[in-house]
Amino acid sequence: MMVGWGGNNGSTVTASILANKKGISWETRKGTQEPNYFGSLMMASTVKLGVDEQLKDVYVPFNEVVPMAHPNDIVIGGWDINSKNIGDAMRRAQVLPVDLQRRVYDELAELKPLPSVYYPDFIAANQEERADNLIGGTKQEQLDHLRKDIRDFKQANGLDRVIVMWTANTERYADVAVGLNDTADNLLQSIANGHSEVSPSTLFAVASILEGAPFINGSPQNTLVPGVIELAEREHTFVGGDDFKSGQTKIKSVLAEFLVNAGIKPLAITSYNHLGNNDGCNLSAPAQFRSKEISKSSVVDDMVGANHLLYKKGEHPDHTIVIKYVPSVGDSKRAMDEYVSEIFMGGLNTISLYNTCEDSLLASPLIIDLFMMTELMTRVTYRQGDDAEWLPFHSVLSILSYMLKAPVVAPNTPVVNALAKQRMAMENILRAFVGLPPNNEMMLEHKAFH
């Protein structure tokens, strides 16, 4: 179930899964296009399983290392503050090719989002005209309503598991304070009291946790306040976040790691974006932009901290982020980056990148990956010793970090932003599930006499 189902991401991923499920092709200027899951780590990438008798590498699809739910088999639903059906929402988004829209419209038009929660103070004022599909009542009544929505959706569709994902507007940061949301009990009491600093996304997270449904935050705000984490731990339910990592930040997590690991010292990273979709419209408000700025800024922290030869304690490259709303570019976000680095003997190196990111076409596969990995983790338990109790993984799913800009991790746990390390962790954990050792690239069989 997606919060913000009628947005660009929600309508795009729904239409795309339908096209894949039914084998719906469409015509383009270059000929017939078949549906695919390109951009999905689980569906379109491979993992090295080992070597064969000739010492040649053997690769298998990521989703075949262990049994995973297939996106073609899932049921999609959700909430939205706007009442448009998903077919009309897809047309409004202007993301998918027109011929594909035409072929899937009738079926999508039958899908209508459930009413959602809207607090004007948390998103930009320019979203008010879209808000015509709302849950009324107090915050406690809204929480109860959301919990019933989850139960009803699960029962009506005969589902084994419901996973809730926030793909709605970026909210401003909520205050975090003692007595407000610092513990599970205080957060539940704040909801009962109707406290103004309980955000819509936090309300959805609490509803999901109390219904045993994992919750993933795909936006940059601080949905997973300490009280949410504690509640998830108490209820043995999974949460993950924050913010889909689709374009500019993903490249940054690769390039910054390369530079620092090569002994090159980034001095300044300047990132500029402009986009014209509703996400860009919402981010044009300062409070919402600040949430995005925070999630984008932290991506190089662990890489810089790993090299004390380049950076003294407390030293950090200048890191500037700009996002502008330009309606005419639509979903085709433009991202321009400049990396200025110190090289040998005080020299300077400048790398400039220009990236056109089809925003929702990059984010939609991440939604699929986050669902598939989260669903898998609900079926995994471990024990330490033959007589020990079988336990689930920690409630904070840091294994999802590859897909998220600002990974939320369990308390007192290091944050890893380097993309290669994030993928390696996910790959090796899956290998452990089937009794295989971690992959390494020593390749000693090719480097020694034998």
Side-chain angles (χ1 to χ4, degrees):
M1 299 184 77
M2 287 182 281
V3 189
W5 190 20
N8 285 24
N9 290 341
S11 60
T12 299
V13 74
T14 305
S16 301
I17 288 176
L18 177 63
N20 274 280
K21 182 177 182 177
K22 298 201 168 183
I24 299 172
S25 59
W26 61 98
E27 297 303 315
T28 73
R29 289 179 296 178
K30 296 182 178 180
T32 302
Q33 174 66 51
E34 299 294 333
N36 60 53
Y37 282 115
F38 289 3
S40 165
L41 184 71
M42 301 297 136
M43 299 297 295
S45 75
T46 60
V47 175
K48 180 182 174 182
L49 194 62
V51 296
D52 62 17
E53 58 273 16
Q54 280 82 42
L55 299 182
K56 292 183 179 179
D57 291 343
V58 176
Y59 293 88
V60 297
F62 217 118
N63 62 15
E64 292 183 8
V65 178
V66 293
M68 287 189 172
H70 196 287
N72 290 357
D73 298 329
I74 67 175
V75 179
I76 299 176
W79 305 263
D80 202 283
I81 62 172
N82 186 256
S83 60
K84 279 188 183 294
N85 66 62
I86 302 305
D88 289 336
M90 171 190 65
R91 287 178 169 174
R92 176 181 60 193
Q94 300 178 7
V95 173
L96 295 169
V98 173
D99 191 45
L100 175 57
Q101 291 186 38
R102 180 179 61 80
R103 293 170 190 255
V104 299
Y105 174 81
D106 288 345
E107 193 160 343
L108 294 184
E110 297 176 3
L111 305 175
K112 294 180 172 58
L114 297 167
S116 192
V117 177
Y118 173 62
Y119 305 153
D121 181 46
F122 275 91
I123 59 176
N126 56 36
Q127 301 299 302
E128 183 177 4
E129 63 182 30
R130 292 172 70 121
D132 64 357
N133 190 40
L134 310 179
I135 302 171
T138 65
K139 290 196 175 184
Q140 183 63 54
E141 290 169 340
Q142 291 170 337
L143 175 65
D144 295 339
H145 189 120
L146 296 176
R147 292 186 64 181
K148 185 176 184 299
D149 285 344
I150 295 170
R151 289 196 303 270
D152 290 348
F153 183 76
K154 184 177 182 179
Q155 182 177 7
N157 293 286
L159 304 176
D160 296 323
R161 178 74 61 185
V162 174
I163 293 169
V164 178
M165 195 169 306
W166 180 276
T167 181
N169 278 319
T170 295
E171 298 172 336
R172 68 165 174 83
Y173 260 46
D175 289 342
V176 177
V178 174
L180 166 62
N181 49 20
D182 58 323
T183 69
D185 289 336
N186 286 343
L187 176 57
L188 292 172
Q189 188 60 52
S190 294
I191 293 172
N193 295 340
H195 198 289
S196 61
E197 281 302 307
V198 177
S199 67
S201 62
T202 292
L203 202 68
F204 272 97
V206 170
S208 303
I209 292 166
L210 293 176
E211 290 303 317
F215 177 87
I216 309 300
N217 177 34
S219 291
Q221 69 275 345
N222 61 336
T223 300
L224 305 180
V225 293
V228 169
I229 302 295
E230 183 179 298
L231 184 65
E233 292 172 341
R234 192 163 79 188
E235 298 292 327
H236 299 291
T237 303
F238 291 123
V239 293
D242 291 323
D243 203 4
F244 302 136
K245 181 165 57 183
S246 57
Q248 185 182 53
T249 307
K250 185 171 285 186
I251 292 174
K252 188 177 295 182
S253 67
V254 173
L255 188 53
E257 181 186 21
F258 154 69
L259 291 171
V260 173
N261 285 350
I264 296 171
K265 182 180 181 179
L267 300 174
I269 302 173
T270 307
S271 299
Y272 169 87
N273 307 256
H274 65 262
L275 68 165
N277 57 20
N278 192 56
D279 183 39
C281 184
N282 181 62
L283 290 174
S284 63
Q288 285 67 40
F289 165 71
R290 180 57 182 156
S291 294
K292 178 68 77 171
E293 184 180 34
I294 291 170
S295 77
K296 280 177 166 280
S297 296
S298 60
V299 69
V300 301
D301 289 353
D302 60 313
M303 302 164 222
V304 168
N307 193 329
H308 66 277
L309 301 176
L310 296 178
Y311 296 96
K312 298 175 183 177
K313 186 175 181 180
E315 189 180 7
H316 199 275
D318 296 331
H319 195 178
T320 302
I321 295 162
V322 178
I323 302 176
K324 295 296 182 182
Y325 177 52
V326 182
S328 61
V329 305
D331 209 62
S332 296
K333 179 172 71 175
R334 272 57 163 184
M336 287 155 273
D337 295 85
E338 182 182 83
Y339 296 76
V340 178
S341 303
E342 183 178 350
I343 56 175
F344 190 56
M345 302 300 288
L348 293 179
N349 169 257
T350 300
I351 300 173
S352 296
L353 301 176
Y354 180 90
N355 184 9
T356 299
C357 310
E358 296 291 341
D359 215 27
S360 298
L361 295 179
L362 292 171
S364 292
L366 297 181
I367 292 173
I368 293 169
D369 287 341
L370 287 163
F371 160 78
M372 292 178 68
M373 183 56 69
T374 301
E375 191 282 329
L376 170 65
M377 297 305 294
T378 66
R379 295 184 277 117
V380 174
T381 55
Y382 72 95
R383 65 181 180 181
Q384 300 178 359
D386 293 341
D387 299 325
E389 180 184 359
W390 289 95
L391 298 170
F393 271 54
H394 192 277
S395 292
V396 180
L397 283 180
S398 58
I399 193 174
L400 305 178
S401 296
Y402 181 91
M403 285 80 79
L404 298 161
K405 281 191 184 76
V408 177
V409 300
N412 304 312
T413 301
V415 177
V416 176
N417 284 292
L419 199 70
K421 290 182 180 179
Q422 291 172 340
R423 191 188 195 280
M424 186 186 304
M426 194 185 312
E427 177 181 324
N428 285 331
I429 289 172
L430 263 62
R431 289 173 61 86
F433 290 166
V434 293
L436 292 174
N439 256 335
N440 67 70
E441 298 302 326
M442 289 191 296
M443 299 180 71
L444 289 177
E445 66 271 22
H446 300 294
K447 294 178 171 67
F449 288 109
H450 57 81

